[in-house]
Amino acid sequence: MVVPHHATGARLARHRLADELADVVPPALLADLVAVLAELVGNAVRHADPLPGGVVRVAWRLTPTADGQSVQIRVTDGGSNSGPLMRAATPDAIDGRGLHIVSGLASRWGVERDGLGQSVWAEFDPLASPRPDLVAAG
């Protein structure tokens, strides 16, 4: 899908992803997907140039596995002078945590660049170890 290179782009992308995957992936995974997509689109709007037409391209792909669905999210923008960087955020900082959120929720993430811009992707693997904050206390 294509969304505006504007703050509303993240909202549009979140709602579309949630609508399309609500009956396909478990609710906890859907919440993680929505959070990561919002961060990636937000970062594209704040830190990168738009693609031609003033837009950001958003895509997701589900791959069936023996243990569930593997999901990849990809956000493509016009690129920037510097690539996405994880910053150290102080406890009272109002920003700088976005890629830490992506790294904490996704199984892996990365950046690909080509002549048109850059794509930041995040993958969610059903075989990945559960995050400690989601494991029920016994």
Side-chain angles (χ1 to χ4, degrees):
M1 82 179 279
V2 174
V3 298
H5 186 266
H6 183 272
T8 59
R11 180 179 52 81
L12 294 169
R14 280 192 332 260
H15 287 288
R16 175 94 175 264
L17 176 82
D19 289 346
E20 288 192 13
L21 300 185
D23 296 329
V24 180
V25 299
L29 175 57
L30 183 60
D32 289 352
L33 293 169
V34 168
V36 167
L37 182 63
E39 288 297 333
L40 295 182
V41 175
N43 284 350
V45 168
R46 281 188 297 280
H47 304 295
D49 293 329
L51 291 167
V55 299
V56 174
R57 190 172 53 233
V58 177
W60 49 87
R61 179 179 51 201
L62 281 73
T63 305
T65 69
D67 298 304
Q69 297 280 350
S70 173
V71 183
Q72 183 186 76
I73 294 174
R74 180 174 295 266
V75 175
T76 304
D77 56 48
S80 64
N81 290 335
S82 63
L85 300 171
M86 290 182 78
R87 300 186 304 179
T90 61
D92 59 342
I94 60 172
D95 63 1
R97 293 178 184 84
L99 290 177
H100 292 280
I101 292 169
V102 172
S103 179
L105 296 177
S107 302
R108 63 195 147 276
W109 70 278
V111 181
E112 297 173 358
R113 291 178 184 81
D114 62 23
L116 301 175
Q118 68 184 11
S119 294
V120 181
W121 55 266
E123 292 181 354
F124 297 79
D125 185 351
L127 296 177
S129 299
R131 297 189 339 254
D133 59 325
L134 293 182
V135 176

